[in-house]
Amino acid sequence: MQKNEIISINSSSDVVLVRQAVRQFAVELAFSLINQTKIVTGASELARNTLEHGGGGTVNIEALDRGTRRGLRLTFEDSGPGIPDIELALKDGFTTGNGLGMGLSGTKRLVNEFEIVSRVGEGTRITITKWK
Amino acid sequence: MSLNGQSKIPQILKNHEAEVLADWLGEQMAAGIRKDLLKEIELREECREFLELFTDAIQQGNLTNIQSTEWRSVREMLTSVSRTRTQKGFTPTETANFVFSFKQPLFKRLRQELGQNGEALVEEILSASNLIDKLGLWTTEIYQKTREEVILRQQEELMELSTPVVKLWEGILALPIIGTLDSARTQIMMESLLEMIVQTGSQVAIIDITGVPTVDTLTAQHLLKTVTAARLMGADCIISGIRPQIAQTIVYLGVDLADITTKASLADAFVLALKRSGFAIARSKPTI
Ligand SMILES: Nc1ncnc2c1ncn2[C@@H]1O[C@H](COP(=O)(O)OP(=O)(O)O)[C@@H](O)[C@H]1O
Ligand SMILES: [Mg+2]
């Protein structure tokens, strides 16, 4: 199967495309239905954040094959305003927009690995990994 | 870049503007421009404008990066040419040919003016060719974007059509949602549901999300808003069709749907709605 795919995120129809691509990767990796749903939902959250808070960016979708361990890694990148206080951004209900403020924290609970690198004025990179 | 970074093209274009323009027009007419879609006089005006902006831009000395500010007016001009042609029904090739057909007349002029100096000629032709290729690709990109916009608009129109609120019973409405629940569409659905609630004086509205592939926090927020608005109009909402994997994901997300009545299937939701409205279901004849 294809090992990775990069999709740019510049409109809400791109968010739909990201969800579809991630679902396809998860299906090809034979993820269980629940794990498919979890990673697709996480992808949807982060893609929308990239669009709405990061001013657009990209996602790199990678299929990981570590012998017996297979998984899916998504790296969202933007050159937006950055997140000044990551701990605060990860609090349930915290939002600087009109959202529910559950996207980041919720996504963290949906995946196995979650990493944020962000610099104010430079941008944000969020990497999530879901093992099969 | 041309010799010493100093291209002769701007000067040549200025000195021979009329001839280049005539050659270029001739080139396009000969290639069979769609006279049914575009009048010759309009084409002439487009060519004249392009030539003027192109000469101005190239004079700034940047022949490699058409995304720079020097080329902004040219890009804007080509954007508008490309958009109108897309809308008029030109093919992508016909649209890009506006720019590509400029090569012949330009190169002809360069050969006439720089024929003595072979090296300079080659270099000028190469860089001009490169430049025109980039501008051609730009028109193609815009063409594609415009097409995508048209398709997107059609999809949106389709969405409006495909969100029917149906009356299941006296006082009971259902809104079966199929597809993604993103903002624009949800707004439309919410409005038509509220309108129907008022029109029919319904007390129960069932929102069925069996056909929604992903429920994220934005979707949940839209659902919560709809339920709250319906409540204000005096109707209770039941959300049905939450599949087990989605229910579990919502829990992990931490979204609180506790205030909302949910049912596994539309049928279950309908039974509950009937009960709440004071109807009872019974078989008329016992079956064996
Ligand atoms: N890519 C990003 N760039 C800048 N800020 C971000 C980014 N992603 C998230 N944030 C910040 O984190 C907050 C919380 O995000 P999230 O939990 O998804 O909630 P919401 O999107 O509903 O606001 C956002 O309101 C925003 O301030
Ligand atoms: Mg969010």
Side-chain angles (χ1 to χ4, degrees):
Chain A
M1 75 176 285
Q2 197 186 347
K3 282 273 182 272
N4 92 307
E5 182 176 346
I6 296 175
I7 299 179
S8 60
I9 304 167
N10 292 305
S11 68
S12 59
S13 52
D14 290 338
V15 176
V16 179
L17 288 182
V18 170
R19 284 202 296 259
Q20 287 170 349
V22 170
R23 187 180 299 280
Q24 199 182 335
F25 267 77
V27 168
E28 282 174 30
L29 283 166
F31 270 42
S32 68
L33 192 53
I34 177 71
N35 279 344
Q36 280 174 35
T37 310
K38 284 179 178 175
I39 189 72
V40 170
T41 307
S44 183
E45 293 298 341
L46 297 186
R48 195 163 295 284
N49 282 355
T50 301
L51 178 68
E52 295 199 333
H53 305 302
T58 57
V59 59
N60 184 14
I61 309 169
E62 291 168 275
L64 305 178
D65 198 345
R66 304 266 161 83
T68 52
R69 220 173 173 214
R70 294 172 104 198
L72 201 47
R73 175 164 295 158
L74 313 179
T75 308
F76 293 84
E77 266 180 292
D78 65 63
S79 347
I83 304 175
D85 185 342
I86 292 176
E87 204 181 320
L88 184 62
L90 274 166
K91 283 229 162 74
D92 278 350
F94 176 82
T95 176
T96 55
N98 313 310
L100 289 179
M102 303 297 290
L104 279 184
S105 52
T107 301
K108 191 174 176 187
R109 287 186 288 264
L110 287 170
V111 298
N112 301 111
E113 291 162 31
F114 182 95
E115 187 201 38
I116 302 185
V117 179
S118 187
R119 265 184 215 95
V120 173
E122 288 180 29
T124 302
R125 186 178 71 227
I126 303 185
T127 309
I128 57 174
T129 309
K130 183 88 195 158
W131 295 105
K132 204 184 144 187
Chain B
M1 279 280 119
S2 70
L3 289 179
N4 312 323
Q6 196 52 54
S7 170
K8 296 274 188 301
I9 298 174
Q11 200 50 50
I12 294 173
L13 285 179
K14 269 194 186 151
N15 294 344
H16 303 276
E17 194 187 332
E19 295 102 305
V20 173
L21 194 58
D23 281 353
W24 186 19
L25 266 171
E27 182 84 29
Q28 291 180 77
M29 301 313 271
I33 180 83
R34 301 279 295 271
K35 292 203 193 88
D36 52 328
L37 301 177
L38 188 69
K39 290 200 196 77
E40 189 179 335
I41 184 157
E42 290 173 296
L43 178 64
R44 183 186 299 278
E45 182 49 32
E46 283 176 353
C47 292
R48 199 201 50 72
E49 196 189 342
F50 175 84
L51 196 57
E52 189 183 311
L53 296 172
F54 181 83
T55 310
D56 277 353
I58 206 169
Q59 203 157 17
Q60 321 277 322
N62 184 346
L63 275 74
T64 46
N65 181 9
I66 65 154
Q67 297 305 326
S68 60
T69 44
E70 300 95 292
W71 288 94
R72 178 194 280 152
S73 305
V74 172
R75 286 199 312 271
E76 283 172 0
M77 194 259 157
L78 287 179
T79 301
S80 118
V81 165
S82 190
R83 279 187 190 283
T84 19
R85 291 190 180 204
T86 315
Q87 278 147 8
K88 283 183 173 158
F90 279 71
T91 67
T93 308
E94 287 165 341
T95 305
N97 264 340
F98 173 70
V99 176
F100 288 132
S101 64
F102 182 55
K103 278 188 183 180
Q104 276 319 315
L106 177 64
F107 293 173
K108 179 175 150 198
R109 205 35 67 176
L110 288 177
R111 275 195 301 272
Q112 280 170 6
E113 299 298 314
L114 300 171
Q116 322 299 325
N117 184 345
E119 203 182 331
L121 179 63
V122 168
E123 211 155 332
E124 290 274 26
I125 286 188
L126 277 180
S127 64
S129 180
N130 246 320
L131 179 64
I132 292 172
D133 287 346
K134 282 180 187 155
L135 293 172
L137 286 177
W138 170 259
T139 54
T140 309
E141 245 172 67
I142 299 297
Y143 182 94
Q144 205 171 335
K145 277 215 184 96
T146 312
R147 289 293 308 155
E148 278 167 11
E149 282 163 16
V150 170
I151 292 170
L152 209 67
R153 211 172 44 241
Q154 288 169 341
Q155 276 173 347
E156 274 162 15
E157 281 162 13
L158 210 65
M159 273 180 197
E160 266 179 78
L161 294 174
S162 63
T163 52
V165 180
V166 290
K167 185 171 160 183
L168 291 183
W169 204 263
E170 207 47 56
I172 304 173
L173 297 178
L175 175 65
I177 306 175
I178 293 169
T180 60
L181 256 185
D182 287 341
S183 310
R185 184 173 177 222
T186 317
Q187 190 67 29
I188 294 165
M189 290 191 315
M190 188 159 123
E191 277 161 18
S192 56
L193 180 64
L194 297 178
E195 236 165 67
M196 274 288 274
I197 288 175
V198 174
Q199 255 177 42
T200 58
S202 294
Q203 279 106 50
V204 188
I206 302 170
I207 302 174
D208 184 72
I209 61 168
T210 310
V212 178
T214 311
V215 177
D216 60 7
T217 63
L218 183 68
T219 318
Q221 187 180 27
H222 288 321
L223 288 172
L224 287 165
K225 272 191 191 156
T226 309
V227 171
T228 308
R231 233 172 239 163
L232 290 172
M233 322 259 29
D236 269 340
C237 283
I238 304 171
I239 296 186
S240 66
I242 304 184
R243 283 156 291 154
Q245 65 273 24
I246 287 185
Q248 203 176 332
T249 303
I250 292 176
V251 172
Y252 278 95
L253 277 179
V255 175
D256 188 8
L257 294 183
D259 262 2
I260 303 178
T261 312
T262 57
K263 283 282 162 198
S265 69
L266 182 57
D268 291 345
F270 186 37
V271 171
L272 177 66
L274 284 170
K275 211 161 112 191
R276 281 199 185 160
S277 314
F279 296 102
I281 307 178
R283 268 190 227 279
S284 56
K285 253 192 286 172
T287 46
I288 309 155

